[in-house]
């Protein structure tokens, strides 16, 4: 009992209704106690013990009714049945003020039986039995007791069922909030990985080009250094936009960047575009694919030529990136790279597919296929 009271106090601090909220209603039994104390009740010792047992059973039932997993357990039903038998016995034996124990029994029943078929099968026979005992002991003048018993059952059950629903909605809202935070954290980690991985690769490639060109062509080396500065500034802007969630990648700009970084690394870029116009979300997702693919080609492939081909039908768009290198996709120690894993998850979430592996003529090949949200006039193919 002490453990149940402690749990009830903790739930009350959390905004939940508890069995403690139904205990003050025991004051309705003061009439029966007054009847005993005044000496008007026959067999007062039996009545006193009965009233003590009634209070004990009532407290046990209403507290168990608020403990998850125990509200409709067999022990709770047993205690409620004992409470009902005792209430009818005391009301039938003493009448008068003892009939007020029926609304208290209604509170206990409403706390346990809150909804559904069980409620219908329990409430109406109980109220009918209360009506019979009340009419027998006090006549028609006590019909208010019958009405009060019915109302105490239904109001208690309704309020507690609504409170239960509110708690479930609150827990669902908290779970949705946690899910939203996890999704945003995942989005940010992916964006940061893609942005920094690509940018740092570009900086390394251009730094190596500047070092090679420095002794024999200072002007070209300075141009590479200027490009490094531009890439760094652009990376800062993109990171700020990624943090706030407003970054919308341009596919055309990303293809130009891929062409530039591949050429700076000594890899011949070949870019082909065709197909219908794309929705902004599809274009942004394909931009991430181009960025990650170009980064992997520069860092891992050892290729001399890289082909990027974008095309498709009015309903599907396909992006293919292939090289003539060693056939390495950015894995380390045989484990898939986090960049490609993130791309696969993004593409799958958008209803598309992403496959990667050795190309038919050697090297490495990556293919992403996505649905096209908007159809329009086809672009003319471009071979760069």
């Amino acid at each position: 009992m002490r453990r149940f009271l402690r749990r009830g106090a903790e739930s009350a601090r959390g905004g939940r209704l508890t069995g403690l909220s139904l205990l003050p209603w025991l004051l309705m039994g003061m009439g029966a106690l007054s009847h005993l104390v005044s000496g008007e009740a026959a067999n007062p010792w039996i009545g006193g013990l009965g009233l003590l047992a009634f209070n004990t059973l009532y407290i046990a039932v209403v507290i168990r009714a608020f403990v998850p997993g125990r509200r409709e357990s067999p022990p709770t039903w047993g205690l409620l049945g004992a409470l009902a038998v005792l209430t009818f016995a005391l009301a039938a034996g003493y009448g008068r003020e003892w009939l007020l124990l029926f609304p208290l029994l209604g509170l206990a029943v409403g706390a346990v039986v809150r909804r559904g078929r069980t409620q219908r099968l329990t409430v109406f026979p109980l109220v009918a039995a209360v009506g019979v005992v009340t009419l027998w002991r006090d006549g028609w003048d006590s019909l208010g007791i019958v009405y009060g018993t019915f109302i105490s059952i239904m109001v208690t059950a309704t309020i507690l069922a609504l409170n239960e629903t509110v708690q479930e909605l609150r827990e669902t809202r908290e779970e949705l909030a946690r899910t939203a935070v996890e999704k945003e954290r995942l989005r940010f980690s992916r964006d940061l990985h893609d942005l920094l991985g690509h940018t740092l690769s570009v900086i390394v490639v251009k730094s190596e080009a500047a070092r090679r060109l420095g002794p024999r062509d200072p002007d070209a080396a300075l141009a590479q250094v200027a490009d490094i500065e531009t890439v760094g500034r652009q990376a800062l802007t993109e990171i700020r936009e990624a943090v706030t969630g407003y970054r919308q990648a341009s596919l055309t700009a990303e293809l130009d960047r891929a062409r530039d970084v591949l050429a700076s690394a000594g890899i011949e870029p070949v870019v082909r575009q065709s197909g219908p116009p794309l929705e902004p979300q599809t274009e942004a997702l394909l931009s991430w694919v181009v960025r990650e693919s170009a980064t992997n080609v520069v860092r891992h492939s050892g290729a001399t030529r890289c082909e990027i081909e974008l095309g498709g039908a009015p309903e599907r768009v396909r992006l293919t990136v292939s090289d003539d290198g060693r056939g390495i996709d950015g894995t380390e120690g045989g484990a898939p790279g986090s960049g490609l894993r993130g791309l696969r998850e993004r593409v799958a979430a958008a209803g598309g597919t992403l496959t990667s592996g050795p190309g038919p003529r050697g090297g490495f090949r990556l293919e992403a296929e996505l649905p096209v949200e908007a159809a329009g006039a086809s672009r003319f193919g471009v071979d760069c």
Side-chain angles (χ1 to χ4, degrees):
M1 180 68 69
R2 187 176 302 170
R3 185 174 67 254
F4 290 162
L5 290 173
R6 184 171 63 253
R7 289 181 180 177
E10 293 172 354
S11 298
R13 288 195 295 270
R16 295 174 179 267
L17 290 176
T18 68
L20 297 177
S21 60
L22 296 180
L23 296 187
W25 292 98
L26 283 173
L27 293 175
M28 293 177 63
M30 291 298 295
L33 180 62
S34 176
H35 189 226
L36 286 174
V37 173
S38 65
E40 300 178 15
N43 300 314
W45 285 107
I46 295 177
L49 292 175
L51 189 59
L52 177 62
F54 175 89
N55 290 337
T56 302
L57 288 172
Y58 175 86
I59 293 172
V61 169
V62 297
I63 288 180
R64 288 182 66 90
F66 289 86
V67 178
R70 299 192 178 187
R71 177 163 61 89
E72 296 185 355
S73 64
T76 302
W77 281 106
L79 291 172
L80 184 61
L83 179 65
V85 171
L86 180 60
T87 304
F88 276 95
L90 292 174
Y94 290 96
R96 297 179 55 181
E97 294 86 351
W98 296 78
L99 296 176
L100 290 174
L101 298 180
F102 281 134
L104 280 172
L105 174 62
L107 291 174
V109 171
V112 175
V113 187
R114 300 181 186 179
R115 64 183 80 185
R117 184 169 179 269
T118 305
Q119 185 186 68
R120 293 192 297 272
L121 295 176
T122 304
V123 172
F124 294 107
L126 178 63
V127 173
V130 170
V132 171
V133 173
T134 301
L135 290 176
W136 172 54
R137 290 295 307 181
D138 265 18
W140 295 97
D141 293 337
S142 298
L143 279 180
I145 298 294
V146 181
Y147 177 74
T149 302
F150 176 75
I151 290 299
S152 65
I153 296 174
M154 300 308 296
V155 170
T156 302
T158 302
I159 290 176
L160 294 183
L162 287 174
N163 180 71
E164 196 175 53
T165 302
V166 168
Q167 293 300 326
E168 291 174 357
L169 290 174
R170 182 177 298 170
E171 292 171 0
T172 302
R173 183 181 63 185
E174 293 174 354
E175 182 63 28
L176 289 174
R178 284 193 295 270
T179 302
V181 170
E182 291 173 0
K183 287 184 177 179
E184 181 63 15
R185 185 182 295 118
L186 180 60
R187 179 199 70 82
F188 178 70
S189 64
R190 287 172 174 170
D191 286 359
L192 197 60
H193 171 273
D194 294 342
L195 286 169
L196 291 181
H198 174 78
T199 301
L200 293 176
S201 296
V202 172
I203 291 175
V204 169
V205 169
K206 288 188 173 293
S207 298
E208 291 175 350
R211 177 173 53 80
R212 290 195 305 267
L213 293 171
R216 64 176 186 271
D217 193 347
D219 292 337
L222 288 175
Q224 294 294 333
V225 172
D227 287 345
I228 293 172
E229 181 181 359
T230 302
V231 169
R233 293 182 184 277
Q234 184 178 5
L236 289 175
T237 302
E238 290 177 345
I239 289 174
R240 293 190 187 102
E241 292 173 349
V243 170
T244 56
Y246 295 132
R247 185 174 191 271
Q248 290 294 333
S250 167
L251 182 56
T252 302
E254 205 61 59
L255 289 171
D256 291 338
R257 293 174 191 166
R259 184 188 294 109
D260 181 59
V261 70
L262 289 169
S264 298
I267 301 172
E268 178 187 358
V270 179
V271 180
R272 300 185 182 92
Q273 286 182 260
S274 64
L278 305 177
E279 286 288 332
Q281 291 182 347
T282 303
E283 187 172 332
L285 183 53
L286 290 176
S287 298
W288 285 114
V289 177
V290 171
R291 174 182 286 252
E292 179 66 22
S293 301
T295 301
N296 284 341
V297 170
V298 170
R299 294 172 60 187
H300 306 290
S301 71
T304 59
R305 177 184 172 90
C306 177
E307 297 183 5
I308 303 175
E309 184 173 354
L310 176 66
E315 296 179 355
R316 305 285 291 185
V317 62
R318 182 182 295 106
L319 174 68
T320 304
V321 181
S322 57
D323 63 63
D324 60 354
R326 296 187 297 267
I328 299 177
D329 64 347
T331 60
E332 295 181 5
S338 59
L340 286 182
R341 279 202 307 270
L343 284 180
R344 286 194 180 95
E345 293 172 0
R346 292 188 184 193
V347 172
T353 58
L354 187 142
T355 58
S356 60
R361 292 174 295 181
F364 186 78
R365 176 185 174 92
L366 181 144
E367 183 176 294
E369 188 171 317
L370 287 167
V372 177
E373 297 294 336
S378 297
R379 296 189 186 123
F380 294 100
V382 179
D383 194 340
C384 303

